[in-house]
Amino acid sequence: MLYQTNNPHGGDVYGEEILLDCSANTNPLGTPPGVLAAVEESLNQLHRYPDPYCRRLVSAIAAFEQVPENWILCGNGAAELIYSYCAAIGAKRAVELAPTFSEYAIALERLGCHVSRYFLSRDREFVLDEGFLTFLEQEKPEAVFLCNPNNPTGQTIPLDLLGEIVKLCGKRSIRLFVDECFADLSDGKESLKAQLAENPHVFLLKAFTKSYGMAGLRLGYCLTADETLLARMAKSVPPWNVSTPAQVAGEAALKETAFLEQTRALIQKERAWLRAQLEALGLWVCPSKVNYLLFQGPEGLDTALRRQKIAIRNCDNYHGLAPGWYRIAVRRREENEALMGGIRRVLEEYSHG
């Protein structure tokens, strides 16, 4: 648990009453009923230790992802895998984007790794460009960390450029970490899964957290052809790190293909509606291909919304973003209408202030 330190993420609705949480990018439809039923059925097994090898879950993931079982390692959420990966590679120099998910740098810097950042710009709608290749040649990192789709921008990396990054990293013996935790909720098919066999330097991070609304269970997994790396990662975490309810929930979730299709359709419709509503208020909104939107608004918007018991993600702690940047989750229409009502009230107060 966190202790005497600020929480750098959204989703903390426990310190005060929050009626509408748009700060965490989980599935707008919640947790699939089949997953809830599987968890309930697992409760009579709580007296037993969980399977330390996650046998059934690994087999299910292998079938779902169409990869060998020995390319899979499960963890207590994606965050645990980020930390165990950083500990296993022992890099002294790494590169990431800015803005991007903060845990990569936190995990690296705790181990004494120097992190260089390639800054994305609003002028290019926060899309990664080919200048990144030159940046990598100049920085000569041992590891590169990418989030695709990126958090908090919602943008994906152009496929041609992603392929060039894979080639360059392989040529320069650079480890390439790609966080695909939001890929199953995105519009595109930018996964590098098909390239793993020929590129053992590539490491993919996946999670059940966002796609299947399982943030409270903590379950993630990774894919790589580098079995030596997975063995080193496994040594840095305790046995039984994945609970029995989490393991059975993961098995059940992988069967919910129709649920994911329904979710993606909802996200596309509601994201377009939310973007249009924000832009009608004169706010700049980053085009997104996933279930959240990054936008620029007045400073203090998040604090004012909390007075209405609405939570959004203040993004001023992201490298490359300043006060006035916010991220909102795409929810169901009634929730999105409630959010927009709150934002309009705040902006009206500011205009009359």
Side-chain angles (χ1 to χ4, degrees):
M1 72 176 197
L2 293 177
Y3 183 74
Q4 295 184 355
T5 185
N6 290 329
N7 174 27
H9 305 294
D12 186 356
V13 296
Y14 304 99
E16 59 187 300
E17 185 180 14
I18 295 295
L19 300 180
L20 177 59
D21 180 22
C22 296
S23 68
N25 308 322
T26 55
N27 192 309
L29 296 179
T31 311
V35 172
L36 296 176
V39 170
E40 184 175 359
E41 291 175 8
S42 76
L43 297 183
N44 63 3
Q45 297 297 317
L46 293 187
H47 64 289
R48 301 180 185 275
Y49 284 101
D51 178 359
Y53 298 99
C54 301
R55 292 172 177 89
R56 289 173 56 93
L57 177 57
V58 166
S59 178
I61 292 171
F64 179 82
E65 298 285 8
Q66 294 296 291
V67 299
E69 291 188 11
N70 52 354
W71 290 10
I72 299 166
L73 185 69
C74 297
N76 185 250
E80 181 183 72
L81 293 166
I82 292 171
Y83 281 78
S84 60
Y85 174 85
C86 292
I89 65 172
K92 298 302 180 185
R93 292 184 60 83
V95 160
E96 69 172 11
L97 306 182
T100 199
F101 187 52
S102 62
E103 289 297 326
Y104 317 138
I106 293 173
L108 290 164
E109 289 169 351
R110 284 185 181 180
L111 297 165
C113 180
H114 173 77
V115 179
S116 299
R117 296 181 174 89
Y118 186 79
F119 285 84
L120 307 172
S121 70
R122 170 181 154 165
D123 291 343
R124 293 183 55 86
E125 298 183 330
F126 294 100
V127 175
L128 186 62
D129 58 73
E130 292 185 354
F132 186 62
L133 298 172
T134 303
F135 183 77
L136 292 181
E137 293 280 16
Q138 294 170 343
E139 292 295 319
K140 297 180 173 58
E142 298 167 64
V144 172
F145 286 72
L146 300 176
C147 189
N148 193 37
N150 192 26
N151 177 7
T153 66
Q155 292 282 32
T156 54
I157 301 170
L159 276 173
D160 291 346
L161 177 56
L162 190 57
E164 290 300 317
I165 294 170
V166 171
K167 291 178 184 177
L168 176 60
C169 288
K171 180 180 178 181
R172 303 297 185 197
S173 298
I174 300 170
R175 291 191 177 274
L176 178 59
F177 176 108
V178 183
D179 183 340
E180 294 188 352
C181 286
F182 286 102
D184 289 336
L185 296 181
S186 72
D187 300 345
K189 300 291 183 183
E190 287 83 7
S191 175
L192 289 176
K193 182 175 61 178
Q195 300 188 38
L196 290 176
E198 297 178 356
N199 297 282
H201 62 289
V202 175
F203 176 97
L204 304 183
L205 181 70
K206 306 270 296 215
F208 293 84
T209 305
K210 310 302 193 304
S211 302
Y212 302 99
M214 288 167 49
L217 274 178
R218 312 310 304 139
L219 179 62
Y221 63 96
C222 58
L223 308 174
T224 182
D226 187 346
E227 297 176 37
T228 302
L229 171 63
L230 294 181
R232 289 203 300 269
M233 289 175 61
K235 290 179 180 178
S236 69
V237 297
W240 313 300
N241 58 323
V242 181
S243 71
T244 297
Q247 291 187 39
V248 299
E251 284 185 69
L254 295 174
K255 301 173 184 176
E256 298 283 350
T257 53
F259 178 84
L260 274 188
E261 291 174 4
Q262 181 185 3
T263 300
R264 282 191 289 265
L266 173 68
I267 288 169
Q268 290 180 16
K269 179 182 177 181
E270 293 302 313
R271 185 181 65 218
W273 185 88
L274 268 176
R275 182 180 177 186
Q277 296 294 311
L278 291 167
E279 290 180 336
L281 296 175
L283 304 175
W284 187 88
V285 185
C286 182
S288 171
K289 296 179 178 64
V290 75
N291 62 321
Y292 48 87
L293 289 169
L294 175 71
F295 71 97
Q296 197 169 18
E299 292 185 33
L301 176 61
D302 60 313
T303 302
L305 285 173
R306 277 192 172 265
R307 289 195 287 269
Q308 300 181 45
K309 301 181 181 180
I310 299 173
I312 65 174
R313 176 68 157 89
N314 185 329
C315 293
D316 64 3
N317 69 325
Y318 281 89
H319 291 281
L321 297 179
W325 283 99
Y326 306 97
R327 189 195 67 202
I328 55 172
V330 176
R331 311 296 303 168
R332 292 170 293 181
R333 178 58 61 92
E334 58 270 27
E335 295 171 301
N336 294 333
E337 288 176 342
L339 170 63
M340 289 309 307
I343 292 175
R344 289 191 191 96
R345 286 189 291 272
V346 173
L347 296 183
E348 287 173 4
E349 290 173 6
Y350 285 0
S351 65
H352 297 310

